[in-house]
Amino acid sequence: MSLDEVQDVRTQDAAATPDTPAAPSKPGAWAALRPLLLRMHFYAGLLIAPLLFLAAATGLLYAGSWQAEKIIYSDELTVSRVGESTVPLSAQLTAARATVPDGKVVGVWPAPDAEATTRVIMEAPGLAEGQTRTVFVDPYTAHVNGVLTTEGDALPLRAWLSEFHSSLQLGEFGRNYSELAASWLWVVALGGLALWIGRRRSRKALLVLPDRAATGRRKTLSWHGAVGLWAVAGLVALSATGLTWSKYAGENIGRVQDGLGGATPSVSAALAPGSGAGSDEHAGHAGHGMPEGMEMPAAPAAADIGIDKAVAAARAAGVTHELRVTLPAKGNGYVVKEQDKQLPVHLDSVAVDPADGRIIDELRFADYPVLAKLTRFGIDLHMGKTLGLANQIALGALAVAVMFLVFWGYRMWWLRRPTKDRTLSAGRPQPRGAWRKVPPAVLLPLAAVTAAVGWFVPMLGISLVAFLVVDVVLGAVAARRAA
């Protein structure tokens, strides 16, 4: 929701029809606050809307990448024929190592269903940070179906689109664009919602449905407001979850979450000194998604039951859905985690002693703090994992809605231009000085909250200050010309 509401009272009165009679604003805080909100909404929509459009367009591509990679990489992801029984995981690891002899196995993802291949995750020379070499092995024959460079669970197409969505493939500098868009999305959405609800209308149905009888700018306004109303909850959710892994606001959110005891817990794979595959006292591995820094020991110091018995021990402990296995490093045991994020989620994990298959630590998703659960659900919904195809369709619909809202906003800005001749002109914002009409009892708390939010979400605060400086300079120039 952006530029539509930006119009002065005289424009509204002139556009009124017998179906929507114009009326003076009611006295009170809202009547004083509305012009200020209109002005902010105008500048935010005008200047931030291109970033929102870009984020929506790249997000739409990412939402579709889940299904696209199933088609493009079907040879690697699926077996040619479902067999009667599978070969041991150890044999599948042997085939993968033979295919990538210079690779170092760091994890194994057993086939999650009868038609899927096993993924053997390797670190290998020549890869960029965060990348791994994944070998896809037929679990029935140990035949290698292919090798791809991956990032986490993302295959090349989705990995590229994910980076394109978050940084436009411009590295750390490019991440500023997505954080700026996420920082303003909830402000523009909620501000537009308040302005849309605060409008006077003769029929309540026009709040939630477009006015089909309207024409011109009022028709565009009707579609803009109604679609924005339906989309606002999803847009605020996308903004909040997107900020959780942003560079600046994400750090503040993480500190608050940790301070409230909502940090995501982790299973400990550390072995007692003198036992298992080593005797040092390294801390346990967190086990989040793709393992990092976990290496196969060159020469194990003790007996290892092997991956097949380790997985069997984990299954006996109730860890059974869509497994991801981290192999033991020196001083650590096996970590076996569930990664089934579709409802109902299965995210339990256990650590297994490589010497005897004993469970040395376990962590159930039911024991996660509430904030950690909400963070997990929010991020997975944002990425399209929790509800599968339905989740991805919903994300695509929200992305399309944002693009239309931006288009309608700019169209209304153009239609509000003061002349109809061939001169270049556009709609004007609400006149300056609206804040002077806001009662101090409302203005002071509003300023305090704005300052606090601007500090907590730095990209929002910095850009808001920039808007204010530009506005003051333009006002001074206009005053000098008028004088």
mmCIF file with all atom_site columns, all heavy atoms in Angstrom, residues 4 15 196 209-227 408 411-412 415:
data_model
loop_
_atom_site.group_PDB
_atom_site.id
_atom_site.type_symbol
_atom_site.label_atom_id
_atom_site.label_alt_id
_atom_site.label_comp_id
_atom_site.label_asym_id
_atom_site.label_entity_id
_atom_site.label_seq_id
_atom_site.pdbx_PDB_ins_code
_atom_site.Cartn_x
_atom_site.Cartn_y
_atom_site.Cartn_z
_atom_site.occupancy
_atom_site.B_iso_or_equiv
_atom_site.pdbx_formal_charge
_atom_site.auth_seq_id
_atom_site.auth_comp_id
_atom_site.auth_asym_id
_atom_site.auth_atom_id
_atom_site.pdbx_PDB_model_num
ATOM 1   N N   . ASP A 1 4   ? -1.429  5.874  -3.055  1.00 0.00 ? 4   ASP A N   1
ATOM 2   C CA  . ASP A 1 4   ? -2.800  6.222  -3.359  1.00 0.00 ? 4   ASP A CA  1
ATOM 3   C C   . ASP A 1 4   ? -3.397  7.265  -2.442  1.00 0.00 ? 4   ASP A C   1
ATOM 4   O O   . ASP A 1 4   ? -4.069  8.188  -2.882  1.00 0.00 ? 4   ASP A O   1
ATOM 5   C CB  . ASP A 1 4   ? -3.644  4.950  -3.286  1.00 0.00 ? 4   ASP A CB  1
ATOM 6   C CG  . ASP A 1 4   ? -5.099  5.286  -3.331  1.00 0.00 ? 4   ASP A CG  1
ATOM 7   O OD1 . ASP A 1 4   ? -5.519  5.808  -4.362  1.00 0.00 ? 4   ASP A OD1 1
ATOM 8   O OD2 . ASP A 1 4   ? -5.774  5.068  -2.327  1.00 0.00 ? 4   ASP A OD2 1
ATOM 9   N N   . ALA A 1 15  ? -13.253 14.966 -5.972  1.00 0.00 ? 15  ALA A N   1
ATOM 10  C CA  . ALA A 1 15  ? -13.480 13.641 -6.552  1.00 0.00 ? 15  ALA A CA  1
ATOM 11  C C   . ALA A 1 15  ? -14.702 12.967 -5.987  1.00 0.00 ? 15  ALA A C   1
ATOM 12  O O   . ALA A 1 15  ? -15.115 11.908 -6.454  1.00 0.00 ? 15  ALA A O   1
ATOM 13  C CB  . ALA A 1 15  ? -12.254 12.754 -6.317  1.00 0.00 ? 15  ALA A CB  1
ATOM 14  N N   . TRP A 1 196 ? -6.389  3.863  4.601   1.00 0.00 ? 196 TRP A N   1
ATOM 15  C CA  . TRP A 1 196 ? -7.506  3.269  3.872   1.00 0.00 ? 196 TRP A CA  1
ATOM 16  C C   . TRP A 1 196 ? -8.719  3.067  4.781   1.00 0.00 ? 196 TRP A C   1
ATOM 17  O O   . TRP A 1 196 ? -9.851  3.372  4.415   1.00 0.00 ? 196 TRP A O   1
ATOM 18  C CB  . TRP A 1 196 ? -7.069  1.942  3.261   1.00 0.00 ? 196 TRP A CB  1
ATOM 19  C CG  . TRP A 1 196 ? -8.137  1.222  2.505   1.00 0.00 ? 196 TRP A CG  1
ATOM 20  C CD1 . TRP A 1 196 ? -8.696  0.020  2.816   1.00 0.00 ? 196 TRP A CD1 1
ATOM 21  C CD2 . TRP A 1 196 ? -8.772  1.645  1.298   1.00 0.00 ? 196 TRP A CD2 1
ATOM 22  N NE1 . TRP A 1 196 ? -9.634  -0.335 1.886   1.00 0.00 ? 196 TRP A NE1 1
ATOM 23  C CE2 . TRP A 1 196 ? -9.712  0.643  0.935   1.00 0.00 ? 196 TRP A CE2 1
ATOM 24  C CE3 . TRP A 1 196 ? -8.647  2.770  0.486   1.00 0.00 ? 196 TRP A CE3 1
ATOM 25  C CZ2 . TRP A 1 196 ? -10.517 0.740  -0.195  1.00 0.00 ? 196 TRP A CZ2 1
ATOM 26  C CZ3 . TRP A 1 196 ? -9.443  2.873  -0.649  1.00 0.00 ? 196 TRP A CZ3 1
ATOM 27  C CH2 . TRP A 1 196 ? -10.361 1.874  -0.967  1.00 0.00 ? 196 TRP A CH2 1
ATOM 28  N N   . LEU A 1 209 ? -13.673 -4.607 -0.889  1.00 0.00 ? 209 LEU A N   1
ATOM 29  C CA  . LEU A 1 209 ? -13.840 -4.948 -2.296  1.00 0.00 ? 209 LEU A CA  1
ATOM 30  C C   . LEU A 1 209 ? -13.651 -3.707 -3.167  1.00 0.00 ? 209 LEU A C   1
ATOM 31  O O   . LEU A 1 209 ? -14.031 -2.607 -2.764  1.00 0.00 ? 209 LEU A O   1
ATOM 32  C CB  . LEU A 1 209 ? -15.234 -5.535 -2.542  1.00 0.00 ? 209 LEU A CB  1
ATOM 33  C CG  . LEU A 1 209 ? -15.562 -6.854 -1.841  1.00 0.00 ? 209 LEU A CG  1
ATOM 34  C CD1 . LEU A 1 209 ? -17.020 -7.223 -2.084  1.00 0.00 ? 209 LEU A CD1 1
ATOM 35  C CD2 . LEU A 1 209 ? -14.640 -7.972 -2.325  1.00 0.00 ? 209 LEU A CD2 1
ATOM 36  N N   . PRO A 1 210 ? -13.061 -3.862 -4.349  1.00 0.00 ? 210 PRO A N   1
ATOM 37  C CA  . PRO A 1 210 ? -12.908 -2.713 -5.253  1.00 0.00 ? 210 PRO A CA  1
ATOM 38  C C   . PRO A 1 210 ? -14.268 -2.175 -5.682  1.00 0.00 ? 210 PRO A C   1
ATOM 39  O O   . PRO A 1 210 ? -15.244 -2.927 -5.793  1.00 0.00 ? 210 PRO A O   1
ATOM 40  C CB  . PRO A 1 210 ? -12.138 -3.294 -6.440  1.00 0.00 ? 210 PRO A CB  1
ATOM 41  C CG  . PRO A 1 210 ? -11.522 -4.555 -5.935  1.00 0.00 ? 210 PRO A CG  1
ATOM 42  C CD  . PRO A 1 210 ? -12.448 -5.089 -4.892  1.00 0.00 ? 210 PRO A CD  1
ATOM 43  N N   . ASP A 1 211 ? -14.324 -0.877 -5.917  1.00 0.00 ? 211 ASP A N   1
ATOM 44  C CA  . ASP A 1 211 ? -15.539 -0.225 -6.379  1.00 0.00 ? 211 ASP A CA  1
ATOM 45  C C   . ASP A 1 211 ? -15.593 -0.330 -7.908  1.00 0.00 ? 211 ASP A C   1
ATOM 46  O O   . ASP A 1 211 ? -14.909 0.397  -8.619  1.00 0.00 ? 211 ASP A O   1
ATOM 47  C CB  . ASP A 1 211 ? -15.547 1.237  -5.934  1.00 0.00 ? 211 ASP A CB  1
ATOM 48  C CG  . ASP A 1 211 ? -16.858 1.936  -6.269  1.00 0.00 ? 211 ASP A CG  1
ATOM 49  O OD1 . ASP A 1 211 ? -17.731 1.292  -6.890  1.00 0.00 ? 211 ASP A OD1 1
ATOM 50  O OD2 . ASP A 1 211 ? -16.987 3.119  -5.925  1.00 0.00 ? 211 ASP A OD2 1
ATOM 51  N N   . ARG A 1 212 ? -16.434 -1.241 -8.404  1.00 0.00 ? 212 ARG A N   1
ATOM 52  C CA  . ARG A 1 212 ? -16.489 -1.473 -9.848  1.00 0.00 ? 212 ARG A CA  1
ATOM 53  C C   . ARG A 1 212 ? -17.140 -0.326 -10.591 1.00 0.00 ? 212 ARG A C   1
ATOM 54  O O   . ARG A 1 212 ? -16.989 -0.185 -11.804 1.00 0.00 ? 212 ARG A O   1
ATOM 55  C CB  . ARG A 1 212 ? -17.234 -2.773 -10.142 1.00 0.00 ? 212 ARG A CB  1
ATOM 56  C CG  . ARG A 1 212 ? -16.512 -4.005 -9.606  1.00 0.00 ? 212 ARG A CG  1
ATOM 57  C CD  . ARG A 1 212 ? -17.339 -5.265 -9.787  1.00 0.00 ? 212 ARG A CD  1
ATOM 58  N NE  . ARG A 1 212 ? -16.611 -6.416 -9.269  1.00 0.00 ? 212 ARG A NE  1
ATOM 59  C CZ  . ARG A 1 212 ? -16.002 -7.322 -10.027 1.00 0.00 ? 212 ARG A CZ  1
ATOM 60  N NH1 . ARG A 1 212 ? -16.038 -7.192 -11.340 1.00 0.00 ? 212 ARG A NH1 1
ATOM 61  N NH2 . ARG A 1 212 ? -15.368 -8.337 -9.486  1.00 0.00 ? 212 ARG A NH2 1
ATOM 62  N N   . ALA A 1 213 ? -17.916 0.504  -9.883  1.00 0.00 ? 213 ALA A N   1
ATOM 63  C CA  . ALA A 1 213 ? -18.581 1.627  -10.538 1.00 0.00 ? 213 ALA A CA  1
ATOM 64  C C   . ALA A 1 213 ? -17.669 2.838  -10.683 1.00 0.00 ? 213 ALA A C   1
ATOM 65  O O   . ALA A 1 213 ? -17.985 3.773  -11.414 1.00 0.00 ? 213 ALA A O   1
ATOM 66  C CB  . ALA A 1 213 ? -19.832 2.017  -9.752  1.00 0.00 ? 213 ALA A CB  1
ATOM 67  N N   . ALA A 1 214 ? -16.544 2.829  -9.990  1.00 0.00 ? 214 ALA A N   1
ATOM 68  C CA  . ALA A 1 214 ? -15.641 3.982  -10.035 1.00 0.00 ? 214 ALA A CA  1
ATOM 69  C C   . ALA A 1 214 ? -14.912 4.030  -11.373 1.00 0.00 ? 214 ALA A C   1
ATOM 70  O O   . ALA A 1 214 ? -14.767 3.022  -12.073 1.00 0.00 ? 214 ALA A O   1
ATOM 71  C CB  . ALA A 1 214 ? -14.639 3.903  -8.889  1.00 0.00 ? 214 ALA A CB  1
ATOM 72  N N   . THR A 1 215 ? -14.413 5.201  -11.699 1.00 0.00 ? 215 THR A N   1
ATOM 73  C CA  . THR A 1 215 ? -13.649 5.390  -12.934 1.00 0.00 ? 215 THR A CA  1
ATOM 74  C C   . THR A 1 215 ? -12.399 6.205  -12.627 1.00 0.00 ? 215 THR A C   1
ATOM 75  O O   . THR A 1 215 ? -12.298 6.854  -11.582 1.00 0.00 ? 215 THR A O   1
ATOM 76  C CB  . THR A 1 215 ? -14.488 6.128  -13.999 1.00 0.00 ? 215 THR A CB  1
ATOM 77  O OG1 . THR A 1 215 ? -14.893 7.403  -13.467 1.00 0.00 ? 215 THR A OG1 1
ATOM 78  C CG2 . THR A 1 215 ? -15.716 5.311  -14.380 1.00 0.00 ? 215 THR A CG2 1
ATOM 79  N N   . GLY A 1 216 ? -11.458 6.183  -13.565 1.00 0.00 ? 216 GLY A N   1
ATOM 80  C CA  . GLY A 1 216 ? -10.267 7.009  -13.449 1.00 0.00 ? 216 GLY A CA  1
ATOM 81  C C   . GLY A 1 216 ? -9.456  6.719  -12.204 1.00 0.00 ? 216 GLY A C   1
ATOM 82  O O   . GLY A 1 216 ? -9.248  5.561  -11.818 1.00 0.00 ? 216 GLY A O   1
ATOM 83  N N   . ARG A 1 217 ? -9.024  7.799  -11.553 1.00 0.00 ? 217 ARG A N   1
ATOM 84  C CA  . ARG A 1 217 ? -8.165  7.672  -10.389 1.00 0.00 ? 217 ARG A CA  1
ATOM 85  C C   . ARG A 1 217 ? -8.868  6.959  -9.240  1.00 0.00 ? 217 ARG A C   1
ATOM 86  O O   . ARG A 1 217 ? -8.255  6.176  -8.504  1.00 0.00 ? 217 ARG A O   1
ATOM 87  C CB  . ARG A 1 217 ? -7.693  9.050  -9.957  1.00 0.00 ? 217 ARG A CB  1
ATOM 88  C CG  . ARG A 1 217 ? -6.770  9.017  -8.755  1.00 0.00 ? 217 ARG A CG  1
ATOM 89  C CD  . ARG A 1 217 ? -6.397  10.396 -8.292  1.00 0.00 ? 217 ARG A CD  1
ATOM 90  N NE  . ARG A 1 217 ? -5.664  10.297 -7.053  1.00 0.00 ? 217 ARG A NE  1
ATOM 91  C CZ  . ARG A 1 217 ? -6.220  10.098 -5.865  1.00 0.00 ? 217 ARG A CZ  1
ATOM 92  N NH1 . ARG A 1 217 ? -7.533  9.984  -5.777  1.00 0.00 ? 217 ARG A NH1 1
ATOM 93  N NH2 . ARG A 1 217 ? -5.480  9.996  -4.779  1.00 0.00 ? 217 ARG A NH2 1
ATOM 94  N N   . ARG A 1 218 ? -10.164 7.216  -9.059  1.00 0.00 ? 218 ARG A N   1
ATOM 95  C CA  . ARG A 1 218 ? -10.887 6.586  -7.970  1.00 0.00 ? 218 ARG A CA  1
ATOM 96  C C   . ARG A 1 218 ? -10.968 5.072  -8.153  1.00 0.00 ? 218 ARG A C   1
ATOM 97  O O   . ARG A 1 218 ? -10.982 4.318  -7.177  1.00 0.00 ? 218 ARG A O   1
ATOM 98  C CB  . ARG A 1 218 ? -12.294 7.183  -7.852  1.00 0.00 ? 218 ARG A CB  1
ATOM 99  C CG  . ARG A 1 218 ? -12.305 8.622  -7.316  1.00 0.00 ? 218 ARG A CG  1
ATOM 100 C CD  . ARG A 1 218 ? -13.719 9.156  -7.154  1.00 0.00 ? 218 ARG A CD  1
ATOM 101 N NE  . ARG A 1 218 ? -14.472 8.356  -6.203  1.00 0.00 ? 218 ARG A NE  1
ATOM 102 C CZ  . ARG A 1 218 ? -15.503 7.567  -6.510  1.00 0.00 ? 218 ARG A CZ  1
ATOM 103 N NH1 . ARG A 1 218 ? -15.897 7.481  -7.765  1.00 0.00 ? 218 ARG A NH1 1
ATOM 104 N NH2 . ARG A 1 218 ? -16.139 6.897  -5.581  1.00 0.00 ? 218 ARG A NH2 1
ATOM 105 N N   . LYS A 1 219 ? -11.013 4.618  -9.382  1.00 0.00 ? 219 LYS A N   1
ATOM 106 C CA  . LYS A 1 219 ? -11.006 3.181  -9.643  1.00 0.00 ? 219 LYS A CA  1
ATOM 107 C C   . LYS A 1 219 ? -9.663  2.570  -9.245  1.00 0.00 ? 219 LYS A C   1
ATOM 108 O O   . LYS A 1 219 ? -9.597  1.511  -8.606  1.00 0.00 ? 219 LYS A O   1
ATOM 109 C CB  . LYS A 1 219 ? -11.287 2.918  -11.118 1.00 0.00 ? 219 LYS A CB  1
ATOM 110 C CG  . LYS A 1 219 ? -11.333 1.438  -11.481 1.00 0.00 ? 219 LYS A CG  1
ATOM 111 C CD  . LYS A 1 219 ? -11.669 1.253  -12.954 1.00 0.00 ? 219 LYS A CD  1
ATOM 112 C CE  . LYS A 1 219 ? -11.711 -0.233 -13.311 1.00 0.00 ? 219 LYS A CE  1
ATOM 113 N NZ  . LYS A 1 219 ? -12.041 -0.435 -14.759 1.00 0.00 ? 219 LYS A NZ  1
ATOM 114 N N   . THR A 1 220 ? -8.584  3.237  -9.626  1.00 0.00 ? 220 THR A N   1
ATOM 115 C CA  . THR A 1 220 ? -7.250  2.770  -9.247  1.00 0.00 ? 220 THR A CA  1
ATOM 116 C C   . THR A 1 220 ? -7.096  2.764  -7.736  1.00 0.00 ? 220 THR A C   1
ATOM 117 O O   . THR A 1 220 ? -6.553  1.817  -7.153  1.00 0.00 ? 220 THR A O   1
ATOM 118 C CB  . THR A 1 220 ? -6.178  3.659  -9.887  1.00 0.00 ? 220 THR A CB  1
ATOM 119 O OG1 . THR A 1 220 ? -6.387  3.719  -11.295 1.00 0.00 ? 220 THR A OG1 1
ATOM 120 C CG2 . THR A 1 220 ? -4.789  3.118  -9.617  1.00 0.00 ? 220 THR A CG2 1
ATOM 121 N N   . LEU A 1 221 ? -7.583  3.834  -7.097  1.00 0.00 ? 221 LEU A N   1
ATOM 122 C CA  . LEU A 1 221 ? -7.549  3.926  -5.639  1.00 0.00 ? 221 LEU A CA  1
ATOM 123 C C   . LEU A 1 221 ? -8.297  2.767  -4.996  1.00 0.00 ? 221 LEU A C   1
ATOM 124 O O   . LEU A 1 221 ? -7.844  2.154  -4.029  1.00 0.00 ? 221 LEU A O   1
ATOM 125 C CB  . LEU A 1 221 ? -8.170  5.247  -5.202  1.00 0.00 ? 221 LEU A CB  1
ATOM 126 C CG  . LEU A 1 221 ? -8.592  5.392  -3.738  1.00 0.00 ? 221 LEU A CG  1
ATOM 127 C CD1 . LEU A 1 221 ? -7.389  5.290  -2.847  1.00 0.00 ? 221 LEU A CD1 1
ATOM 128 C CD2 . LEU A 1 221 ? -9.318  6.700  -3.516  1.00 0.00 ? 221 LEU A CD2 1
ATOM 129 N N   . SER A 1 222 ? -9.449  2.429  -5.540  1.00 0.00 ? 222 SER A N   1
ATOM 130 C CA  . SER A 1 222 ? -10.256 1.364  -4.971  1.00 0.00 ? 222 SER A CA  1
ATOM 131 C C   . SER A 1 222 ? -9.541  0.019  -5.037  1.00 0.00 ? 222 SER A C   1
ATOM 132 O O   . SER A 1 222 ? -9.518  -0.735 -4.057  1.00 0.00 ? 222 SER A O   1
ATOM 133 C CB  . SER A 1 222 ? -11.593 1.292  -5.720  1.00 0.00 ? 222 SER A CB  1
ATOM 134 O OG  . SER A 1 222 ? -12.402 0.264  -5.211  1.00 0.00 ? 222 SER A OG  1
ATOM 135 N N   . TRP A 1 223 ? -8.946  -0.273 -6.172  1.00 0.00 ? 223 TRP A N   1
ATOM 136 C CA  . TRP A 1 223 ? -8.191  -1.530 -6.299  1.00 0.00 ? 223 TRP A CA  1
ATOM 137 C C   . TRP A 1 223 ? -6.963  -1.530 -5.397  1.00 0.00 ? 223 TRP A C   1
ATOM 138 O O   . TRP A 1 223 ? -6.646  -2.536 -4.751  1.00 0.00 ? 223 TRP A O   1
ATOM 139 C CB  . TRP A 1 223 ? -7.781  -1.739 -7.753  1.00 0.00 ? 223 TRP A CB  1
ATOM 140 C CG  . TRP A 1 223 ? -8.869  -2.348 -8.585  1.00 0.00 ? 223 TRP A CG  1
ATOM 141 C CD1 . TRP A 1 223 ? -9.769  -1.699 -9.380  1.00 0.00 ? 223 TRP A CD1 1
ATOM 142 C CD2 . TRP A 1 223 ? -9.191  -3.733 -8.667  1.00 0.00 ? 223 TRP A CD2 1
ATOM 143 N NE1 . TRP A 1 223 ? -10.633 -2.591 -9.962  1.00 0.00 ? 223 TRP A NE1 1
ATOM 144 C CE2 . TRP A 1 223 ? -10.302 -3.857 -9.543  1.00 0.00 ? 223 TRP A CE2 1
ATOM 145 C CE3 . TRP A 1 223 ? -8.667  -4.879 -8.098  1.00 0.00 ? 223 TRP A CE3 1
ATOM 146 C CZ2 . TRP A 1 223 ? -10.874 -5.085 -9.858  1.00 0.00 ? 223 TRP A CZ2 1
ATOM 147 C CZ3 . TRP A 1 223 ? -9.239  -6.114 -8.406  1.00 0.00 ? 223 TRP A CZ3 1
ATOM 148 C CH2 . TRP A 1 223 ? -10.323 -6.203 -9.275  1.00 0.00 ? 223 TRP A CH2 1
ATOM 149 N N   . HIS A 1 224 ? -6.262  -0.436 -5.363  1.00 0.00 ? 224 HIS A N   1
ATOM 150 C CA  . HIS A 1 224 ? -5.064  -0.310 -4.538  1.00 0.00 ? 224 HIS A CA  1
ATOM 151 C C   . HIS A 1 224 ? -5.390  -0.555 -3.063  1.00 0.00 ? 224 HIS A C   1
ATOM 152 O O   . HIS A 1 224 ? -4.697  -1.315 -2.374  1.00 0.00 ? 224 HIS A O   1
ATOM 153 C CB  . HIS A 1 224 ? -4.479  1.088  -4.726  1.00 0.00 ? 224 HIS A CB  1
ATOM 154 C CG  . HIS A 1 224 ? -3.229  1.343  -3.933  1.00 0.00 ? 224 HIS A CG  1
ATOM 155 N ND1 . HIS A 1 224 ? -1.986  0.985  -4.358  1.00 0.00 ? 224 HIS A ND1 1
ATOM 156 C CD2 . HIS A 1 224 ? -3.052  1.937  -2.728  1.00 0.00 ? 224 HIS A CD2 1
ATOM 157 C CE1 . HIS A 1 224 ? -1.090  1.347  -3.460  1.00 0.00 ? 224 HIS A CE1 1
ATOM 158 N NE2 . HIS A 1 224 ? -1.713  1.922  -2.457  1.00 0.00 ? 224 HIS A NE2 1
ATOM 159 N N   . GLY A 1 225 ? -6.453  0.096  -2.581  1.00 0.00 ? 225 GLY A N   1
ATOM 160 C CA  . GLY A 1 225 ? -6.802  -0.037 -1.177  1.00 0.00 ? 225 GLY A CA  1
ATOM 161 C C   . GLY A 1 225 ? -7.319  -1.410 -0.815  1.00 0.00 ? 225 GLY A C   1
ATOM 162 O O   . GLY A 1 225 ? -6.935  -1.983 0.216   1.00 0.00 ? 225 GLY A O   1
ATOM 163 N N   . ALA A 1 226 ? -8.201  -1.971 -1.645  1.00 0.00 ? 226 ALA A N   1
ATOM 164 C CA  . ALA A 1 226 ? -8.786  -3.273 -1.326  1.00 0.00 ? 226 ALA A CA  1
ATOM 165 C C   . ALA A 1 226 ? -7.743  -4.386 -1.374  1.00 0.00 ? 226 ALA A C   1
ATOM 166 O O   . ALA A 1 226 ? -7.670  -5.230 -0.470  1.00 0.00 ? 226 ALA A O   1
ATOM 167 C CB  . ALA A 1 226 ? -9.932  -3.575 -2.291  1.00 0.00 ? 226 ALA A CB  1
ATOM 168 N N   . VAL A 1 227 ? -6.916  -4.397 -2.404  1.00 0.00 ? 227 VAL A N   1
ATOM 169 C CA  . VAL A 1 227 ? -5.876  -5.427 -2.502  1.00 0.00 ? 227 VAL A CA  1
ATOM 170 C C   . VAL A 1 227 ? -4.865  -5.262 -1.373  1.00 0.00 ? 227 VAL A C   1
ATOM 171 O O   . VAL A 1 227 ? -4.421  -6.250 -0.764  1.00 0.00 ? 227 VAL A O   1
ATOM 172 C CB  . VAL A 1 227 ? -5.180  -5.365 -3.880  1.00 0.00 ? 227 VAL A CB  1
ATOM 173 C CG1 . VAL A 1 227 ? -3.964  -6.281 -3.919  1.00 0.00 ? 227 VAL A CG1 1
ATOM 174 C CG2 . VAL A 1 227 ? -6.160  -5.747 -4.981  1.00 0.00 ? 227 VAL A CG2 1
ATOM 175 N N   . TRP A 1 408 ? -0.077  0.667  -9.129  1.00 0.00 ? 408 TRP A N   1
ATOM 176 C CA  . TRP A 1 408 ? -1.248  1.506  -8.897  1.00 0.00 ? 408 TRP A CA  1
ATOM 177 C C   . TRP A 1 408 ? -0.863  2.801  -8.169  1.00 0.00 ? 408 TRP A C   1
ATOM 178 O O   . TRP A 1 408 ? -1.415  3.861  -8.443  1.00 0.00 ? 408 TRP A O   1
ATOM 179 C CB  . TRP A 1 408 ? -2.291  0.748  -8.078  1.00 0.00 ? 408 TRP A CB  1
ATOM 180 C CG  . TRP A 1 408 ? -2.998  -0.319 -8.855  1.00 0.00 ? 408 TRP A CG  1
ATOM 181 C CD1 . TRP A 1 408 ? -3.334  -0.285 -10.181 1.00 0.00 ? 408 TRP A CD1 1
ATOM 182 C CD2 . TRP A 1 408 ? -3.457  -1.577 -8.364  1.00 0.00 ? 408 TRP A CD2 1
ATOM 183 N NE1 . TRP A 1 408 ? -3.975  -1.442 -10.549 1.00 0.00 ? 408 TRP A NE1 1
ATOM 184 C CE2 . TRP A 1 408 ? -4.077  -2.257 -9.452  1.00 0.00 ? 408 TRP A CE2 1
ATOM 185 C CE3 . TRP A 1 408 ? -3.424  -2.209 -7.120  1.00 0.00 ? 408 TRP A CE3 1
ATOM 186 C CZ2 . TRP A 1 408 ? -4.637  -3.520 -9.320  1.00 0.00 ? 408 TRP A CZ2 1
ATOM 187 C CZ3 . TRP A 1 408 ? -3.985  -3.466 -6.985  1.00 0.00 ? 408 TRP A CZ3 1
ATOM 188 C CH2 . TRP A 1 408 ? -4.583  -4.113 -8.064  1.00 0.00 ? 408 TRP A CH2 1
ATOM 189 N N   . ARG A 1 411 ? 0.653   5.121  -10.636 1.00 0.00 ? 411 ARG A N   1
ATOM 190 C CA  . ARG A 1 411 ? -0.374  5.579  -11.563 1.00 0.00 ? 411 ARG A CA  1
ATOM 191 C C   . ARG A 1 411 ? -1.203  6.693  -10.913 1.00 0.00 ? 411 ARG A C   1
ATOM 192 O O   . ARG A 1 411 ? -1.498  7.710  -11.571 1.00 0.00 ? 411 ARG A O   1
ATOM 193 C CB  . ARG A 1 411 ? -1.284  4.419  -11.987 1.00 0.00 ? 411 ARG A CB  1
ATOM 194 C CG  . ARG A 1 411 ? -2.465  4.860  -12.851 1.00 0.00 ? 411 ARG A CG  1
ATOM 195 C CD  . ARG A 1 411 ? -3.209  3.664  -13.426 1.00 0.00 ? 411 ARG A CD  1
ATOM 196 N NE  . ARG A 1 411 ? -4.458  4.077  -14.059 1.00 0.00 ? 411 ARG A NE  1
ATOM 197 C CZ  . ARG A 1 411 ? -4.562  4.676  -15.227 1.00 0.00 ? 411 ARG A CZ  1
ATOM 198 N NH1 . ARG A 1 411 ? -3.462  4.969  -15.928 1.00 0.00 ? 411 ARG A NH1 1
ATOM 199 N NH2 . ARG A 1 411 ? -5.732  5.019  -15.720 1.00 0.00 ? 411 ARG A NH2 1
ATOM 200 N N   . MET A 1 412 ? -1.574  6.542  -9.669  1.00 0.00 ? 412 MET A N   1
ATOM 201 C CA  . MET A 1 412 ? -2.354  7.584  -8.994  1.00 0.00 ? 412 MET A CA  1
ATOM 202 C C   . MET A 1 412 ? -1.532  8.859  -8.819  1.00 0.00 ? 412 MET A C   1
ATOM 203 O O   . MET A 1 412 ? -2.055  9.966  -8.922  1.00 0.00 ? 412 MET A O   1
ATOM 204 C CB  . MET A 1 412 ? -2.856  7.066  -7.648  1.00 0.00 ? 412 MET A CB  1
ATOM 205 C CG  . MET A 1 412 ? -3.982  6.056  -7.793  1.00 0.00 ? 412 MET A CG  1
ATOM 206 S SD  . MET A 1 412 ? -4.604  5.515  -6.205  1.00 0.00 ? 412 MET A SD  1
ATOM 207 C CE  . MET A 1 412 ? -3.235  4.570  -5.602  1.00 0.00 ? 412 MET A CE  1
ATOM 208 N N   . LEU A 1 415 ? -1.794  10.479 -12.143 1.00 0.00 ? 415 LEU A N   1
ATOM 209 C CA  . LEU A 1 415 ? -3.121  11.016 -12.416 1.00 0.00 ? 415 LEU A CA  1
ATOM 210 C C   . LEU A 1 415 ? -3.428  12.260 -11.589 1.00 0.00 ? 415 LEU A C   1
ATOM 211 O O   . LEU A 1 415 ? -4.313  13.037 -11.953 1.00 0.00 ? 415 LEU A O   1
ATOM 212 C CB  . LEU A 1 415 ? -4.193  9.944  -12.144 1.00 0.00 ? 415 LEU A CB  1
ATOM 213 C CG  . LEU A 1 415 ? -4.202  8.747  -13.103 1.00 0.00 ? 415 LEU A CG  1
ATOM 214 C CD1 . LEU A 1 415 ? -5.227  7.708  -12.643 1.00 0.00 ? 415 LEU A CD1 1
ATOM 215 C CD2 . LEU A 1 415 ? -4.498  9.193  -14.528 1.00 0.00 ? 415 LEU A CD2 1
#
